[in-house]
Amino acid sequence: MTATASLLVVAKAPVPGLAKTRLCPPATPEEAAGIAAAALLDTLDAVLGTPLVRPVVAMTGSLGDACRSAGIRAVLRHCTVLAQRGGSFADRLANAHADTHRAHGLPVFQIGMDTPQLTPALLAGSVERLAAHDAVLGPAADGGWWALGLNDPRVAENLRAVPMSRPDTGALTLRALGDRDTGLLPVLSDVDDMATAREVAALVPRTRFAAALARLGALR
């Protein structure tokens, strides 16, 4: 069947010292990168299990220096892989939407790698919601957002003026979408600190992410 949207993952190579540094301490840089790698692999599993989408990954960082690089490379063979472009995170998001639409000519539904609790069913339902709205936004519990879907990817240009990684980023993003019909998705928790990581792991105990957290606990 024909894909109805591109499912875009904006990801960062899980390199020790550069990935999930807010987990340190109690995690070491190597352990934090291992947790990030597990989250990315779980996210890609959910994406590849979602029907009627084109999987796309916009990547930054050196996979050669990343934890679990071989496993990540193997999964990426099933995705369209794009390099992130731009200086600020907001610019990279806007460019990733534009590049994804240029590659496949479909509406774009974008997520990150901070929500390893995602499932194919949740992603499929969220992408379906996009068909009924101009846009959809998935709020995050910390005030940001975990998903943004746009039927007109040109609207992503509005992200360039939105300050990212702030408690009001979600509200400012919704405002940047203007008077478009925007559907709201369920609120999820982004994994940004150890307390939230443990909460999320408890929700998905059979994931790589939960196993990485369990190993960390066993070492303490």
Side-chain angles (χ1 to χ4, degrees):
M1 297 180 69
T2 304
T4 60
S6 292
L7 183 41
L8 166 65
V9 182
V10 175
K12 182 178 184 179
V15 177
L18 299 177
K20 288 296 168 200
T21 55
R22 288 176 61 185
L23 301 183
C24 308
T28 66
E30 291 74 17
E31 289 166 342
I35 292 167
L40 176 56
L41 287 166
D42 286 337
T43 299
L44 293 176
D45 274 355
V47 168
L48 293 176
T50 303
L52 302 179
V53 297
R54 289 282 185 91
V56 180
V57 178
M59 181 69 71
T60 189
S62 171
L63 272 180
D65 298 322
C67 288
R68 304 180 75 159
S69 60
I72 294 170
R73 289 183 191 277
V75 178
L76 290 179
R77 286 199 289 267
H78 303 285
C79 307
T80 300
V81 180
L82 306 170
Q84 290 184 30
R85 299 186 295 111
S88 71
F89 184 46
D91 285 340
R92 294 198 301 273
L93 288 177
N95 290 334
H97 276 258
D99 293 346
T100 299
H101 185 253
R102 190 176 299 112
H104 295 301
L106 295 167
V108 177
F109 185 92
Q110 180 244 313
I111 60 174
M113 54 184 280
D114 296 332
T115 46
Q117 68 270 47
L118 290 175
T119 64
L122 177 56
L123 286 173
S126 299
V127 172
E128 286 177 8
R129 294 262 336 258
L130 180 56
H133 299 277
D134 297 329
V136 292
L137 185 70
D142 63 1
W145 49 268
W146 64 269
L148 174 64
L150 299 172
N151 277 305
D152 182 356
R154 292 174 297 181
V155 177
E157 287 294 309
N158 295 357
L159 294 176
R160 297 186 193 276
V162 176
M164 295 292 163
S165 302
R166 290 186 2 180
D168 59 352
T169 292
L172 293 174
T173 301
L174 187 60
R175 184 184 304 171
L177 296 176
D179 59 359
R180 294 170 181 83
D181 175 22
T182 301
L184 293 180
L185 302 174
V187 177
L188 296 183
S189 293
D190 280 339
V191 174
D192 286 324
D193 56 44
M194 190 58 73
T196 307
R198 296 196 187 281
E199 291 172 4
V200 169
L203 298 174
V204 284
R206 295 181 177 85
T207 58
R208 298 179 186 86
F209 178 77
L213 264 292
R215 286 193 297 273
L216 176 63
L219 295 172
R220 298 294 182 262

